[in-house]
Amino acid sequence: MLKFALLGFLLRQSMTGYDLAAAIRSSINFVWPAQLSQIYRTLGQLENDGLVVSEVVPQQGRPDRRVYSATDAGRQAFDGWLGELVTELDPVRTPFLVRFFFSGTRAPEEMVTQLRVLRDLHLRQRDQLAHELPGYIAEFAAANTTDDRDPLIWDAVRRAGEMHAQTWLDWIDETIARLEDAAGKAQPR
Amino acid sequence: MLKFALLGFLLRQSMTGYDLAAAIRSSINFVWPAQLSQIYRTLGQLENDGLVVSEVVPQQGRPDRRVYSATDAGRQAFDGWLGELVTELDPVRTPFLVRFFFSGTRAPEEMVTQLRVLRDLHLRQRDQLAHELPGYIAEFAAANTTDDRDPLIWDAVRRAGEMHAQTWLDWIDETIARLEDAAGKAQPR
DNA sequence: CCGCTATATGGCATGGCTCATATATAACTT
DNA sequence: AAGTTATATATGAGCCATGCCATATAGCGG
């Protein structure tokens, strides 16, 4: 996966691993975060497979930059990947829900507290996606050769994140209400 | 993660790895699927760590059953896990959105087609969560010692899946409309 | 002097995935 | 009647991607 994301960026513009990390951070981080170490390792594989090549650019004071560029084979691999058809939903792994599923033995107030904490996190996430990310994307677009449909698409991806964050907020509110309702009925008056 | 899920089930009821796979399939599969091989390996680790013990029950015709039970240490570990506070959102990895992010070079109709395929999958998923899962959960509840808050909680987890599936549907509709709108404007009359 | 930015690389642990294998019965399919 | 597939059960080998942590260098801002 990361493999293809890196190729995708490099096809727009050659850059270093460090730059790639920044590109990811200002774009797809919320759907596919990556550590620097992971990026470098993956670049190594890509180079091994001939999908990218690198060129060392000496620098003073800093480690030399190693600038990566996608090759023709890289473009082909990437295009193949883009053309793949979706046949199954990717499994979604949601640790929180697993925990929640098993927390029937816990005090209801504790569950509500946990939900409130989670709510805060999702709220921040939603606001970040709604307000901060657009700025990063604009910068990123300005710095990159962009197809004219890119802004629309990037915004759609951003929107997906925003909508899901909102759905979490709604779910949490609904769930807290249900828990409180049940607690109210359990020990009435 | 799986470790704790298994413990959670075993604390309700001792069972074999095979049974655990079935328990997962009829409950948290959509938030945490697991292969049989993975389950057995994890049970092995749990046993090593003294969190579960197993007892072999001979059978004719079939491989002997190895029935696992959670130990006291297992209960403690599990409780500790349940008590953990959420401090950060779990990263959500969504391969589809990564692909989508990079598909600016593709024909818009192709993107729409892909979105329609995805829509179908999410639609099925939503309906399954809305209609089939409740039945499984009911069966599962009948077969297990359940706390009286369990049904509420299990349904909340189910609802989270349903709501997220619905959000996907909404996002896809919105995105298709935006793409078609843009295409209409690009080549008018 | 601490910590951040820029840059690259290494090692180890974790946990998931795929595929293979073994065995017996029952239930379909041709 | 023969053959496939499914169900119940357990286990092993090997791959792969991620994660976390450490290290090296150097300049700049506090």
Side-chain angles (χ1 to χ4, degrees):
Chain A
M1 180 73 284
L2 181 56
K3 211 176 121 170
F4 293 110
L6 297 182
L7 268 177
F9 283 117
L10 292 178
L11 281 165
R12 291 215 154 79
Q13 174 133 18
S14 298
M15 51 184 140
T16 67
Y18 195 84
D19 296 334
L20 281 164
I24 289 178
R25 246 180 288 120
S26 60
S27 60
I28 55 171
N29 201 252
F30 75 101
V31 277
W32 208 274
Q35 310 284 130
L36 253 183
S37 60
Q38 179 73 13
I39 292 173
Y40 286 115
R41 241 170 325 119
T42 307
L43 284 170
Q45 287 169 220
L46 285 168
E47 190 159 27
N48 252 318
D49 298 348
L51 306 183
V52 304
V53 286
S54 65
E55 188 197 353
V56 175
V57 181
Q59 280 197 127
Q60 32 15 335
R62 320 248 149 122
D64 296 346
R65 298 169 52 101
R66 176 178 287 269
V67 178
Y68 288 88
S69 314
T71 62
D72 261 18
R75 173 168 295 280
Q76 273 173 39
F78 184 76
D79 283 347
W81 176 66
L82 276 192
E84 276 171 24
L85 294 174
V86 194
T87 57
E88 282 189 19
L89 290 183
D90 309 307
V92 188
R93 299 183 171 274
T94 319
F96 176 81
L97 284 178
V98 179
R99 274 226 333 245
F100 192 75
F101 178 84
F102 288 110
S103 40
T105 51
R106 292 265 153 176
E109 314 84 52
E110 191 189 333
M111 299 180 72
V112 171
T113 307
Q114 292 257 13
L115 287 169
R116 293 232 167 87
V117 173
L118 188 69
R119 192 178 196 287
D120 262 22
L121 294 171
H122 280 295
L123 188 59
R124 201 162 318 145
Q125 168 85 342
R126 192 202 58 186
D127 290 347
Q128 199 189 309
L129 289 172
H131 305 118
E132 290 175 36
L133 228 210
Y136 290 141
I137 290 183
E139 274 176 48
F140 179 71
N144 278 263
T145 336
T146 63
D147 190 277
D148 59 345
R149 238 173 320 121
D150 282 344
L152 193 168
I153 295 175
W154 295 348
D155 194 63
V157 173
R158 201 215 91 236
R159 262 247 91 193
E162 192 189 347
M163 288 171 73
H164 279 287
Q166 182 62 49
T167 300
W168 274 109
L169 296 178
D170 295 344
W171 177 79
I172 291 171
D173 292 339
E174 171 181 318
T175 304
I176 289 180
R178 288 221 254 166
L179 283 169
E180 287 181 339
D181 193 47
K185 277 188 195 136
Q187 342 143 312
R189 88 211 66 231
Chain B
M1 180 75 281
L2 181 56
K3 210 175 121 169
F4 293 109
L6 298 181
L7 267 177
F9 283 117
L10 292 177
L11 280 166
R12 291 218 153 76
Q13 174 134 16
S14 298
M15 51 184 140
T16 68
Y18 195 85
D19 296 334
L20 281 165
I24 289 178
R25 245 180 291 118
S26 60
S27 60
I28 56 171
N29 201 253
F30 76 100
V31 278
W32 208 274
Q35 308 287 128
L36 252 183
S37 59
Q38 180 73 13
I39 291 172
Y40 285 116
R41 239 177 329 118
T42 307
L43 284 170
Q45 287 169 219
L46 285 168
E47 191 157 28
N48 252 318
D49 298 347
L51 307 183
V52 305
V53 288
S54 65
E55 186 198 357
V56 175
V57 181
Q59 282 198 129
Q60 26 26 325
R62 319 250 150 120
D64 296 346
R65 299 172 51 110
R66 176 180 287 270
V67 179
Y68 289 88
S69 314
T71 62
D72 260 18
R75 174 170 293 281
Q76 272 171 39
F78 183 76
D79 283 347
W81 176 67
L82 276 193
E84 276 171 26
L85 293 174
V86 194
T87 57
E88 281 190 18
L89 291 182
D90 309 306
V92 189
R93 299 183 171 273
T94 321
F96 177 81
L97 285 179
V98 179
R99 268 217 347 236
F100 192 73
F101 178 83
F102 288 110
S103 42
T105 52
R106 292 264 153 174
E109 313 83 51
E110 192 189 331
M111 299 180 72
V112 171
T113 307
Q114 294 256 12
L115 287 169
R116 292 231 167 86
V117 173
L118 188 70
R119 192 178 196 287
D120 261 22
L121 295 171
H122 280 295
L123 188 60
R124 201 162 319 144
Q125 168 85 343
R126 189 202 60 187
D127 290 347
Q128 199 189 311
L129 289 173
H131 305 119
E132 289 175 37
L133 227 210
Y136 289 140
I137 289 183
E139 274 176 47
F140 180 71
N144 278 264
T145 337
T146 63
D147 190 278
D148 60 344
R149 239 172 320 121
D150 282 346
L152 194 169
I153 293 175
W154 295 347
D155 194 62
V157 173
R158 200 215 92 236
R159 262 246 91 193
E162 193 190 345
M163 286 171 74
H164 279 288
Q166 183 62 50
T167 300
W168 274 109
L169 296 178
D170 296 343
W171 176 78
I172 291 170
D173 292 339
E174 172 183 316
T175 304
I176 289 180
R178 288 221 253 166
L179 283 169
E180 288 180 340
D181 193 46
K185 278 190 196 137
Q187 341 143 318
R189 86 210 66 233

